[in-house]
Amino acid sequence: MKKVFASVAVAAIAVLGMSSAQAADPATLALSGGNAVYGLDPAVITATASVPGTVAFSAAGKVITGSEAVATTTVAPFTAKCSWVPAAAGSNALTGVLTPTDTTVAKVNSPTLTVKVGVPEQGVISPIHIYVDTVSCQQWHTV
């Protein structure tokens, strides 16, 4: 009886055109973060992927030093982080390339994330006036 069911299942798969190993869904990659002020702390770029792997982060088409192959977390959501120091203020195009751990899944590029890097401005700050009273201490001697 088991052989009959197995034969029917194989015949159904053959008729319906399914294979025993279906192609994996294509991977996805999205970037977020990256907003910064020029000359201050680095910005953190977060890549979120649909599968585990490594991410190469780029700014203006050049790979960011130290972020050439950042491993994602091993559990979902699969994220990788990059600390980025902007080279200049203004609009910057950031991208990422995911290389999945599973070699049957193709590499994928992220959509471009455009971030604005601000210029630090010194605001007008009213001065704080500090007055110090000095008290002269004299030691009194009695004779």
Side-chain angles (χ1 to χ4, degrees), residues 37-63:
V37 177
Y38 178 69
L40 297 179
D41 293 333
V44 176
I45 309 163
T46 302
T48 304
S50 60
V51 295
T54 58
V55 179
F57 293 90
S58 298
K62 295 181 183 177
V63 175

Side-chain angles (χ1 to χ4, degrees), residues 31 45 57-62 64 84 90-96 111-117:
L31 300 182
I45 309 163
F57 293 90
S58 298
K62 295 181 183 177
I64 297 171
W84 168 61
S91 184
N92 288 271
L94 304 177
T95 57
T112 300
L113 173 66
T114 303
V115 296
K116 304 226 185 238
V117 176

Side-chain angles (χ1 to χ4, degrees), residues 22-28 49-53 98-108:
Q22 293 290 328
D25 290 334
T28 59
S50 60
V51 295
L98 171 69
T99 303
T101 305
D102 182 350
T103 57
T104 63
V105 179
K107 285 184 179 183
V108 64

Side-chain angles (χ1 to χ4, degrees), residues 8-142:
V8 170
V10 170
I13 289 172
V15 170
L16 296 174
M18 293 186 281
S19 67
S20 59
Q22 293 290 328
D25 290 334
T28 59
L29 180 66
L31 300 182
S32 60
N35 293 325
V37 177
Y38 178 69
L40 297 179
D41 293 333
V44 176
I45 309 163
T46 302
T48 304
S50 60
V51 295
T54 58
V55 179
F57 293 90
S58 298
K62 295 181 183 177
V63 175
I64 297 171
T65 303
S67 296
E68 299 89 353
V70 181
T72 64
T73 55
T74 56
V75 294
F78 304 105
T79 59
K81 294 186 185 255
C82 167
S83 288
W84 168 61
V85 179
S91 184
N92 288 271
L94 304 177
T95 57
V97 177
L98 171 69
T99 303
T101 305
D102 182 350
T103 57
T104 63
V105 179
K107 285 184 179 183
V108 64
N109 296 325
S110 72
T112 300
L113 173 66
T114 303
V115 296
K116 304 226 185 238
V117 176
V119 177
E121 290 185 19
Q122 180 70 36
V124 177
I125 299 173
S126 63
I128 299 172
H129 298 286
I130 300 175
Y131 298 98
V132 178
D133 289 331
T134 56
V135 177
S136 176
C137 294
Q138 294 180 353
Q139 188 173 17
W140 295 91
H141 294 279
T142 56

